[in-house]
Amino acid sequence: YQRRVHGGSKAPKIFYVNWFLKSEDGKFLWPGFGENSRVLKWIIQRIEGTGKFRYTPIGILPTVDGIDLTNVDVSKETLKRILTVNPQQWLNELPQIRAYQTFIGESVPKEIHWELTQLESRLHFAIEDAPGTSSRLKQWVKEVASLCKPDHIYWCDGSEEEYHLMCDLLVESGTFVRLHPKKRPNSYLARSDVSDVARVESCTYICSKTPEEAGPTNNWCDPNEMKAKMNALYDGCMKGRTMYVIPFCMGPIGSPLSKYGVEISDSPYVVANMHIMTRVGFNVLSAMKDDFLPCLHSVGAPLLPGQKDVPWPCNKTKYICHFPDEPCVMSYGSGYGGNALLGKKCYALRIASTMGRREGWMAEHCLILGLTSPEGKTYYVAAAFPSACGKTNLAMLVPTIPGWSVRCVGDDIAWMHIGQDGRLYAINPEAGFFGVAPGTSDFTNHSAMETLKKDSIFTNVGLTPDGDVWWEGMTKTKPAELIDWTGQKWTPDCGRLSAHPNARYTCPAKNCPVIDPNWENPQGVPISAIIFGGRRSTTVPLVTEALSWQHGVFMGSMCSSEQTAAAEGKVGALRIDPFAMLPFCGYNMGDYFQHWLDMGSKLGPRAPKIFYVNWFTKDSNGKFIWPGFGDNSRVLKWICKRIESDNLGKPTPIGILPSANALDTTGLDISQDIMNALLSINPSQWLDELPQIRAYHAQFGNRLPEALHHELTALEQRLHFALENVPTTSNRLKQWVKSTVELCKPDHVFWCDGSEEEYQLLCDLLVESGTFVRLHPKKRPNSFLARTDPSDVARDEKSTYVCSEKPEDAGPTNQWSSPAEMKAKLTSLFNGSMKGRTMYVVPFCLGPVGSPYSRYGVQITDSAYVVANLHLLNRVGFRVLSKITDDFVPCLHSVGVPLEVGQKDVSWPCNKTHRYICHFPEEPSIYSFGSGYGGNAILPKKCFALRIASSMSRRQGWMAEHCLILSLTSPEGKTFYVASAFPGGCGKTNLAMLVPTIPGWSVRCVGDDIAWLHIGQDGKLYAINPEAGFFGVAQGTSDFNNHSAMETLKKDTIFTNTALTPDGDVWWEGMTKTKPAELTDWTGQKWTADSGKPAAHPNARYTCPARNCPVIDSNWENPEGVPISAIIFGNRRYTTYPLVVESTNWEHGVFLGSLCSAERSDKPATADPFTMLPFCGYNMGQYVQHWLEIGQKLGSAAPRVFSVNWFQKDGQGKFVWPGYGDNARVLKWIVSRVQGQSAAVVESPLGLIPKADAIDTLGLDLEKARLESILKVDKELLKKEIPSVRQLYTSIGSTLPSKLNEFLNELESKLK
């Protein structure tokens, strides 16, 4: 047994003879004595590799013509008899052998026990009685033997002895040359036929049911036609040869992620390579059952009796055929590489890719490596490269940066699945490496060279005179002479390559000195990043991070590489090779792209980040400018930092590139100019390439996912932006952006496209910068928590200005500043304010895009937080940009914190010294400086949608109001739309998403904060919600008071200044009845229920998309708006104002609007006319006049106007009215009034008030007396209110319409 272990190839061969076989009559069949020399002659021939032989279960026997019978009286029939093995007789003898070994005891080596077991298995196979063997497999082997007609059948047991046997046979046949046993132990050189040196893609077919399923990138043939053709070729193809049956496993045996197959081949070269590349043999059979992939291979070179074989048999006719619907693989004519080793590309990629799609996993042309940081954290990375682009070099990388190490899981193929924890895991389905030899050296891949020192098969490399191998690039100095891959003498000046460009090595992965300890983990390894790569001399930068999973899939779909020698075709030509899977995808690549997108959807926020690398950029002299090899670890280090969300990236049109000095170049002799060249993009070069990508995508027709169309269009637009070829006709916009760049001096300019990928990118950047905390992906998917600076937590009204031409145009309720003076001050502040930052250009639309009532703007900001919120609150991006002409509102914002080179940013940048929120209504434009919070920074909200829009609407004849819009549908199915204005924090959102407590009624939300109202063509008042999301106060929001809001907030939400629970969710006061035991408060400090401070800021906010609201109205984006039947003004008053009052007419309703006020705790009531006091962008007196004028235009079509107050308290300070869902009872009465029903009302000094019986109180636990108490006007209290109202009117000045004073005088008179 130790012959191979210690003796190696120099150990003598071992034989067993028996001269004493007898016939039935007891006579010896062999003459013996001197005739035994004939057996010895065969033994000598076997030692020399010339004796004729055949395989049997017990060993190698001579063929009948292998024994010299010259001049001996022994017939061939007798010789055949004594060279026959009777398996049953041997099986009958095995118990005695086993008993003898047992008798000897534990001293019998375990290897001898193993040999006995293997012998038993082979004998069972010989009589087709293998225990546990699949009946399907037995039947298939029988059918193949009948078709191919081999001389012998050999079931491979997978043993080390079998491998050596195969190698010996291949040496004897001339296929192998045994290499020097000391220089390269147990290693061999094979030389293929010159016509059989690479994959034959032109002869590779996907035989799916329809050509559409195979797709345009694969050769297709009808499966029935191809089967008939292949069966004709296979008929008798193995005559004169041995048929090897090779059970194999792809992946660790027993892993739930592994797959099984059986290859039948007539090539011992294939058997030897399969021994190295897969797990083979009887242990596979026992695990396999009936679930295996049949793989049939033949070199297609049958031998006639007595015909001498060639060292490399093959056939000029070649087919490699895949039948994904069965599935099975058939290969004919080639003995080389992936054409013949059918477990490799044929099964592990082409067939497995179709299996993965059906079963929800991925089979990819990827290496897998583990990268460990100096701190001991390991990141597993999958990387897809076209062949000969450095996969193996990267998989076995030796880092040049101290403290980092790389371990190899696999160098070529990854099977990836979603684990139980929702992350992506990968296994290497192979057990060996089948790598490209040329270029491999101790410099480029020391680990590979160490792996190749023993137990390796080399194919088509050169042979040195001292019995070792050599290839181009292996050493700096070329050998003086050798034998080249074709068997000819070679010298350095002969003009030929010594090794074929696609020369290969096959070696076991277990020999790799940097093999990862988890490389055979049955569950796989968790993937933190996916890298795509190509071999590009220009255009593609050193490393790029995808903006999102979808963008990463797009990057993978446009992978391109210069043609290599690993496949047929012109070397150097550029071809698009999506995901490096072009030759290996077993189905329509359009469907393959969709499968990647689907996997991303399943992974959600746990999806790995995706990157694209290019080590191969050249300078103008054709020299590589990146050192590559071990220095690629510097790129991997940056990728790991990005996985950990370190803010080391800069957005570009193609993705995120390393920011300045982000790549660790310590100790690297490389200039800054070269680094700039490696980490920059040429938009023109990219634009030149897009038509090729578009044409490539077009071939997939309607199977190409729409998401990839979108990504390509978005990329094209971003590239045009980078060249200042902005796809807009607005010269004003272009000029404004240009002048703003000159003023603010940002490091980068980023035009926002409005895509989902962009939003995810911004959120990732904010997580990396510490502004965002990513919430638990299951508890709160795609949601984030932001914590502001404690000085930047609310609207900054003291810093808010209306800069109209004259102070009287702004009015006394606004702060005014001279436009010229304020512009000068702001210009000084904005000068250089964005240094070190990215300037985002965000085109936005207030209202549905394309609606005649919508308005457009562009916000420029240096805050990614602002951009992320704009994504949720507005329609933004390129679809908006295409609608923008010169008629847009410029909105300029900066946090006012420039960064010096190398200066680290803070998580919430803001300027504590200078803050301004300035509105220029005549231009119109908006400028905001210093604050990053809410309406101070998200300028389309209150700044545009109310302050500027109110002044615009006055000029244009419509109204911009601080109103929710809801629809109320009766049991009869009639819908009424209501606009309602409440002071902040008075329950607008609760009312907008109300769940009625009265049966049959339903409420739907159109908007919760702002309404733009206009007169429609039918003369009625219509409203649109200019926003696309909700920016609400979190405090107090709960499932009890606003279930719909809580449902809306379950995903896709940004929370600001709430608390963070230990399990990664948010919390605020009032959210639950029971407070959490502990959490992290809005300032980032530990909080407990008894800490005596709020966990969330009182103005903590949420931002979420309106489309997620479960009660969003079906007409919420109707471009014409919704018809308003009633307008409601709200008050928060503990006394004085009744539950509900109806105005007597529109003008009286305007008067009620002017009385809006709110009180909180013990503070006196604050007047807030129309709830617009902080938001009216011009003189409040003129604003009131505008309301009166709108009423005149509406005439009898004007909505009815009401005033409500849910907040009256009794003498004990308790609210009388239950509020929340019971407010629907008041809305029901309002609807009855709108319909003109004569519900019982009483006149009061304020207006019409319902009698208690008119309010539906069915099921409401409220005494009639208490209801009556809040349905009346307290004249004495109201009388006391008159002076403060008169004072308000006086403060507004002479612009206030006299009509309001008339109503006030009338009220005062009634109260007297």
Side-chain angles (χ1 to χ4, degrees), residues 37 103 198 232 285 324 343 346 363 620 669 742 901 926 931 965 972 974 1038 1059 1083 1114 1235 1256 1261:
S37 62
F103 168 73
L285 278 178
C346 293
S620 56
D669 184 17
E742 292 171 354
V901 176
I926 304 166
S931 171
I965 312 167
E972 297 74 34
K974 189 166 183 179
S1038 68
T1083 67
S1114 58
Q1235 289 182 295
D1256 183 348
D1261 185 17

Side-chain angles (χ1 to χ4, degrees), residues 889-927:
V889 174
C891 304
L892 177 56
H893 166 257
S894 172
V895 293
V897 185
L899 294 172
E900 299 299 325
V901 176
Q903 181 183 351
K904 186 172 175 61
D905 202 3
V906 295
S907 59
W908 188 271
C910 62
N911 191 311
K912 299 178 183 180
T913 306
H914 301 289
R915 285 195 187 153
Y916 291 92
I917 301 97
C918 302
H919 309 75
F920 298 83
E922 279 86 11
E923 297 188 7
S925 66
I926 304 166
Y927 288 74

Side-chain angles (χ1 to χ4, degrees), residues 703-1015:
R703 282 182 126 100
L704 183 78
E706 184 61 34
L708 297 195
H709 283 301
H710 167 79
E711 289 292 343
L712 181 57
T713 301
L715 172 60
E716 185 172 34
Q717 290 172 323
R718 292 193 299 267
L719 291 166
H720 278 298
F721 282 144
L723 289 172
E724 297 186 358
N725 296 329
V726 184
T728 176
T729 57
S730 175
N731 291 321
R732 177 181 171 228
L733 173 56
K734 294 178 185 178
Q735 184 56 43
W736 178 59
V737 172
K738 184 178 180 181
S739 62
T740 303
V741 170
E742 292 171 354
L743 173 65
C744 299
K745 301 177 180 60
D747 278 14
H748 313 288
V749 178
F750 186 89
W751 286 76
C752 295
D753 62 21
S755 65
E756 179 65 22
E757 293 75 23
E758 179 177 85
Y759 175 73
Q760 297 300 334
L761 162 68
L762 292 165
C763 293
D764 288 345
L765 291 175
L766 288 160
V767 170
E768 292 160 15
S769 67
T771 307
F772 273 5
V773 174
R774 195 184 303 276
L775 300 178
H776 194 287
K778 289 188 176 179
K779 291 180 177 293
R780 201 77 62 170
N782 195 30
S783 297
F784 306 88
L785 167 63
R787 298 187 183 109
T788 73
D789 186 275
S791 70
D792 197 17
V793 294
R795 282 197 320 270
D796 196 343
E797 294 182 16
K798 69 180 185 300
S799 302
T800 301
Y801 294 84
V802 173
C803 303
S804 51
E805 287 297 322
K806 294 179 287 187
E808 52 267 31
D809 292 337
T813 59
N814 284 312
Q815 291 192 98
W816 178 84
S817 178
S818 160
E821 290 178 9
M822 183 57 78
K823 275 287 181 75
K825 185 180 294 185
L826 290 169
T827 300
S828 175
L829 289 170
F830 278 111
N831 188 13
S833 66
M834 296 186 184
K835 283 181 179 178
R837 300 190 179 277
T838 295
M839 184 179 101
Y840 299 94
V841 184
V842 193
F844 65 86
C845 178
L846 287 170
V849 177
S851 167
Y853 307 107
S854 296
R855 296 293 183 268
Y856 297 91
V858 177
Q859 177 160 352
I860 289 177
T861 179
D862 54 5
S863 166
Y865 171 85
V866 168
V867 183
N869 278 270
L870 286 171
H871 262 262
L872 298 181
L873 285 170
N874 302 102
R875 293 89 174 168
V876 299
F878 291 166
R879 66 178 179 138
V880 173
L881 191 62
S882 64
K883 302 287 186 182
I884 290 180
T885 60
D886 281 351
D887 185 19
F888 69 93
V889 174
C891 304
L892 177 56
H893 166 257
S894 172
V895 293
V897 185
L899 294 172
E900 299 299 325
V901 176
Q903 181 183 351
K904 186 172 175 61
D905 202 3
V906 295
S907 59
W908 188 271
C910 62
N911 191 311
K912 299 178 183 180
T913 306
H914 301 289
R915 285 195 187 153
Y916 291 92
I917 301 97
C918 302
H919 309 75
F920 298 83
E922 279 86 11
E923 297 188 7
S925 66
I926 304 166
Y927 288 74
S928 174
F929 183 91
S931 171
Y933 186 83
N936 303 334
I938 305 168
L939 303 185
K941 193 157 178 63
K942 302 296 206 279
C943 292
F944 186 164
L946 287 178
R947 295 190 189 100
I948 290 295
S950 63
S951 65
M952 292 173 73
S953 65
R954 178 191 173 210
R955 292 192 298 270
Q956 298 168 2
W958 52 281
M959 298 192 295
E961 301 301 325
H962 189 210
C963 284
L964 68 90
I965 312 167
L966 63 80
S967 68
L968 185 69
T969 302
S970 69
E972 297 74 34
K974 189 166 183 179
T975 297
F976 305 85
Y977 287 98
V978 175
S980 186
F982 286 77
C986 286
K988 282 203 315 297
T989 303
N990 292 349
L991 184 61
M993 302 182 190
L994 184 94
V995 178
T997 55
I998 44 178
W1001 291 78
S1002 65
V1003 166
R1004 294 292 179 265
C1005 175
V1006 177
D1008 78 326
D1009 194 33
I1010 299 173
W1012 285 0
L1013 300 103
H1014 62 276
I1015 300 174

Side-chain angles (χ1 to χ4, degrees), residues 164-468:
H164 290 301
L165 167 65
M166 293 297 146
C167 293
D168 289 347
L169 295 176
L170 288 160
V171 170
E172 293 162 14
S173 67
T175 306
F176 273 4
V177 174
R178 195 185 306 277
L179 299 177
H180 194 286
K182 288 189 176 178
K183 290 181 177 292
R184 203 74 64 170
N186 194 30
S187 298
Y188 304 87
L189 166 64
R191 298 187 184 108
S192 76
D193 187 274
V194 294
S195 68
D196 197 17
V197 293
R199 292 193 313 270
V200 282
E201 293 177 17
S202 60
C203 303
T204 302
Y205 292 86
I206 302 296
C207 303
S208 50
K209 291 178 182 176
T210 66
E212 291 77 20
E213 291 172 31
T217 59
N218 286 312
N219 298 315
W220 177 83
C221 186
D222 177 83
N224 295 325
E225 290 179 16
M226 185 56 80
K227 274 287 181 73
K229 185 181 292 186
M230 295 300 287
N231 286 337
L233 291 170
Y234 284 131
D235 190 4
C237 68
M238 295 186 184
K239 284 181 178 178
R241 300 191 179 278
T242 295
M243 183 178 99
Y244 300 95
V245 183
I246 316 168
F248 65 92
C249 179
M250 303 305 294
I253 296 174
S255 166
L257 314 173
S258 296
K259 301 289 182 185
Y260 297 92
V262 177
E263 177 163 358
I264 289 178
S265 174
D266 53 6
S267 166
Y269 172 87
V270 167
V271 179
N273 277 270
M274 288 290 284
H275 260 262
I276 295 174
M277 293 304 300
T278 63
R279 291 90 174 166
V280 299
F282 293 165
N283 55 343
V284 174
L285 278 178
S286 62
M288 189 169 61
K289 311 304 180 189
D290 273 352
D291 186 17
F292 68 92
L293 182 82
C295 303
L296 177 54
H297 166 256
S298 173
V299 294
L303 294 172
L304 299 174
Q307 180 182 351
K308 184 175 174 59
D309 202 1
V310 295
W312 189 273
C314 62
N315 195 306
K316 292 182 180 179
T317 300
K318 292 178 173 64
Y319 287 96
I320 298 92
C321 303
H322 309 76
F323 299 85
D325 299 300
E326 296 193 19
C328 71
V329 181
M330 292 182 166
S331 173
Y332 179 90
S334 172
Y336 188 85
N339 302 334
L341 310 178
L342 304 186
K344 194 163 177 59
K345 309 293 194 190
C346 293
Y347 188 168
L349 287 178
R350 296 190 189 100
I351 291 296
S353 65
T354 66
M355 291 178 165
R357 180 190 175 205
R358 287 194 300 269
E359 297 169 6
W361 53 279
M362 300 192 293
E364 300 302 325
H365 189 208
C366 286
L367 67 90
I368 313 167
L369 63 80
L371 185 69
T372 303
S373 70
E375 296 75 32
K377 183 165 183 179
T378 297
Y379 306 84
Y380 287 100
V381 174
F385 293 80
S387 294
C389 281
K391 283 202 311 299
T392 303
N393 291 347
L394 185 62
M396 302 182 191
L397 184 95
V398 178
T400 56
I401 44 178
W404 291 78
S405 64
V406 166
R407 294 293 178 265
C408 175
V409 177
D411 78 325
D412 193 35
I413 297 172
W415 285 1
M416 298 191 282
H417 65 283
I418 299 175
Q420 292 184 342
D421 61 359
R423 292 190 293 170
L424 192 66
Y425 285 75
I427 63 167
N428 172 13
E430 300 186 292
F433 305 129
F434 184 71
V436 175
T440 305
S441 70
D442 273 312
F443 171 70
T444 63
N445 196 334
H446 177 72
S447 300
M449 295 299 287
E450 288 294 306
T451 308
L452 299 177
K453 282 187 172 179
K454 63 179 180 178
D455 307 329
S456 298
I457 298 170
F458 299 90
T459 304
N460 290 342
V461 301
L463 178 66
T464 65
D466 58 354
D468 201 2

